[in-house]
């Protein structure tokens, strides 16, 4: 089986590992993204890290990177990383290939996650798949007719910007009612704090993290339960729209917020299935993501290996 | 060039024509759908009509039908036509092939319209296309990566059920805030009547048809203008969601309501483009459909000919 480098490029750390199929064979120490003021020096250090990994894994044949922003897939150009200094119009594919003399594949991080789940995770063998990650941001990836569907400029599958209210909150593009504006991590915390405050509670920010909210809800706290129900309602709306458009076999849900498990999945399943017609329900499964933190790395590496298929 | 029969199966009439490329060469007199109490006798008469057309066009090599309801594309089974008596679980592909000894292709009518626009209409040569028809119902068809994307059970591309409000009006599947519940023909009329009544006008139903509303708006009537602005706002919301998901090259808009022209297209373009990021805008065009009433017939026939490609 072929081995590839998977790069999970985040706003906080760049994680680099050696991947074979569904396994991360080895990981380098993460690189602190914010220590770099420009793209070139960071790419230099990524290349150095890959070289070190190559000493133990001489058969690595490709490099894949999942990026937190818009990527032009065919050219491997990163449009812009809003949370990382100096990353505007970076031809990352070329930069990596020049330094490492291996074929490089650059994609959006949510596409990488979706690809991992489809190729070696919860969605193996499926032809129509919607993957969504719930974290600080809400991202997505789509498998349509057995292929990652990126759209005309490879910037599609932005599930976080699907609207749930045409008069709703304004998002980063002037868009109204985007899902992310309601169930991104910070918005969940803000909503919980609001509800607790109204009920006369005094709480710290920590008390309202999705993790704490899940624990509170499991312990029967009515406000925490209400928060989760609200998340499920909004998520169900955006997914109902997506199901009506794409009629998928499965929706795969990952990211920190999805760790709430049945607290999220149970009301979500109810609310979604009460809004779609029978033919849409026939084969539709709502599944937790198979991979956690390693999804991005696995997906990026497997995307890079796709060129050898 | 090959010739095929195109059947545009509507709730009022079944229209049957001979198609070659983008041309309807001949049409049979329409069949009144509601004259039939069951599927079999209607299919018999469709077959008879096709036989008559074959006398003048002996080289017809396939039959395509676009249906106003869910179709299982691979088997050509019609799930259910809510507006036509006796059409539940009809294996129309087999019924037509048995009678006519020609290969038959059955699809949803909005898919047929989308296919016509893509193959021989406004979207020729594009790989990523969203087609939407605005009439009594709101339907859609999607071209993704150069292929009609039907989804796992071939019931996707239901643009009319994309939600614009998670707490909005209830649709036919218990879904909330589906676009069709706001900008379907009847809903437009109802909204206009409501606004006129509030303003103290007395109006008949005819005075509020989309056609009359377009004329009134063109004459500067502020209420009619408000109605069109509201339609554009809601349509822009559903299309914003769709663009964020699918990043198409073009959105093609057809159906009776689209005949309002700039009254609809101008505010729609403004509202949509003010809600999406730059990479989504780069190649995105909003286009009126090339075909009118013949789109369904043309699309169905061309879909049938696809099997010969």
């Amino acid at each position: 089986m072929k081995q590839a480098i998977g790069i999970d490029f985040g706003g906080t750390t760049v994680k680099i590992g050696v991947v074979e199929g569904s396994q991360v064979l080895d990981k380098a120490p993460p690189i602190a993204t914010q220590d770099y003021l420009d793209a070139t020096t960071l790419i230099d250090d990524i290349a150095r890290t890959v070289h070190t990994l190559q000493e133990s894994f001489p058969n690595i044949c490709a490099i894949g990177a999942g990026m937190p922003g818009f990527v032009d897939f065919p050219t491997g150009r990163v449009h812009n990383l809003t949370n990382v200094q100096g990353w505007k119009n970076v031809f990352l594919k070329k930069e990596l290939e020049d330094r490492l003399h291996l074929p490089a594949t650059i994609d959006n991080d949510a596409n990488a996650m979706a690809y991992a789940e489809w190729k070696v995770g919860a969605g193996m063998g499926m032809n129509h798949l919607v993957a969504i990650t719930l974290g600080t941001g809400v991202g997505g990836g789509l498998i349509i007719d057995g292929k990652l569907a990126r759209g005309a400029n490879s910037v599609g599958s932005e599930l976080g910007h699907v609207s749930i209210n045409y008069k709703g909150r304004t998002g980063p593009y002037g868009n109204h009612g985007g899902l992310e504006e309601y169930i991104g991590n910070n918005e969940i915390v803000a909503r919980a704090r609001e509800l607790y405050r109204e009920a006369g509670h005094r709480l710290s920010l920590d008390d309202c993290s999705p993790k704490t909210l899940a624990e509170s809800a499991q312990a029967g706290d009515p406000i925490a339960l209400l928060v989760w129900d609200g998340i499920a309602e909004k998520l169900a709306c955006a997914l109902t729209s997506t199901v009506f458009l794409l009629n998928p076999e499965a929706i795969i849900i990952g990211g920190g917020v999805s760790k709430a498990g049945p607290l999220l999945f149970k009301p979500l399943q109810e609310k979604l299935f009460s809004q779609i017609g029978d033919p849409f329900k026939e084969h539709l499964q709502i599944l937790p993501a198979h991979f956690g933190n390693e999804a991005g790395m696995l997906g990026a590496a497997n995307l890079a290996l796709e060129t050898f298929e």
Side-chain angles (χ1 to χ4, degrees), chain A:
Chain A
M1 224 179 182
K2 285 190 158 54
Q3 294 170 355
I5 290 288
I7 302 175
D8 179 6
F9 194 114
T12 313
T13 56
V14 178
K15 288 177 271 184
I16 305 175
V18 181
V19 171
E20 189 180 289
S22 63
Q23 304 294 319
V24 176
L25 302 179
D26 197 8
K27 277 188 230 182
I31 299 173
T33 318
Q34 303 296 339
D35 287 356
Y36 299 80
L37 299 178
D38 65 301
T40 307
T41 51
L42 177 46
I43 299 170
D44 285 341
D45 272 9
I46 290 173
R48 254 189 290 277
T49 305
V50 173
H51 274 135
T52 309
L53 288 167
Q54 280 180 307
E55 286 167 20
S56 312
F57 298 91
N59 296 324
I60 286 164
C61 61
I63 311 160
M67 308 300 294
F70 292 134
V71 173
D72 182 57
F73 181 75
T75 60
R77 176 167 65 95
V78 178
H79 285 278
N80 191 12
L81 302 183
T82 40
N83 297 319
V84 189
Q85 228 177 333
W87 281 75
K88 198 159 185 171
N89 262 318
V90 176
F91 285 82
L92 184 56
K93 177 181 164 71
K94 187 181 179 307
E95 297 283 345
L96 287 174
E97 288 180 344
D98 284 354
R99 284 168 175 82
L100 293 159
H101 311 290
L102 287 173
T105 303
I106 319 297
D107 209 331
N108 172 267
D109 52 5
N111 276 352
M113 175 270 193
Y115 193 84
E117 292 295 339
W118 175 52
K119 212 66 187 175
V120 288
M124 270 175 79
M126 294 184 186
N127 283 316
H128 298 269
L129 204 62
V130 171
I132 185 165
T133 49
L134 308 175
T136 309
V138 173
L142 306 172
I143 306 295
I144 297 176
D145 280 319
K147 209 178 150 210
L148 197 60
R150 296 181 179 88
N153 300 24
S154 48
V155 295
S157 68
E158 286 288 339
L159 273 145
H161 303 316
V162 169
S163 176
I164 63 165
N165 186 358
Y166 73 105
K167 288 197 182 296
R169 298 179 188 170
T170 305
Y173 305 102
N175 53 311
H176 300 303
L179 179 65
E180 189 174 275
E181 312 311 318
Y182 298 85
I183 70 159
N185 253 332
N186 299 334
E187 288 69 28
I188 294 173
V189 172
R191 174 70 180 142
R193 287 176 65 78
E194 184 186 309
L195 287 172
Y196 278 116
R197 226 182 285 121
E198 281 172 14
H201 292 247
R202 284 163 174 271
L203 288 150
S204 76
L205 202 68
D206 284 350
D207 295 334
C208 289
S209 74
K211 192 166 173 287
T212 315
L213 283 169
E215 288 162 6
S216 304
Q218 266 141 10
D221 178 288
I223 293 180
L225 282 164
L226 196 65
V227 172
W228 284 106
D229 197 71
I231 298 170
E233 183 183 28
K234 283 149 191 138
L235 183 53
C237 175
L239 290 177
T240 297
S241 294
T242 308
V243 166
F244 273 125
L245 279 179
L246 301 178
N247 176 209
E249 288 156 85
I251 297 168
I252 296 178
I253 306 182
V257 173
S258 75
K259 290 184 185 150
L263 270 178
L264 176 66
F265 282 77
K266 201 168 164 287
L268 173 64
Q269 169 106 22
E270 281 169 18
K271 287 172 205 289
L272 174 57
F273 275 64
S274 69
Q275 294 191 70
I276 55 178
D278 286 338
F280 291 92
K281 290 178 203 170
E282 261 173 39
H283 303 292
L284 181 60
Q285 299 178 68
I286 303 184
L287 302 169
H290 183 77
F291 301 110
N293 291 335
E294 292 184 340
M297 206 182 268
L298 286 165
N302 276 286
L303 269 166
L305 290 172
E306 194 182 33
T307 45
F308 293 91
E309 276 173 11

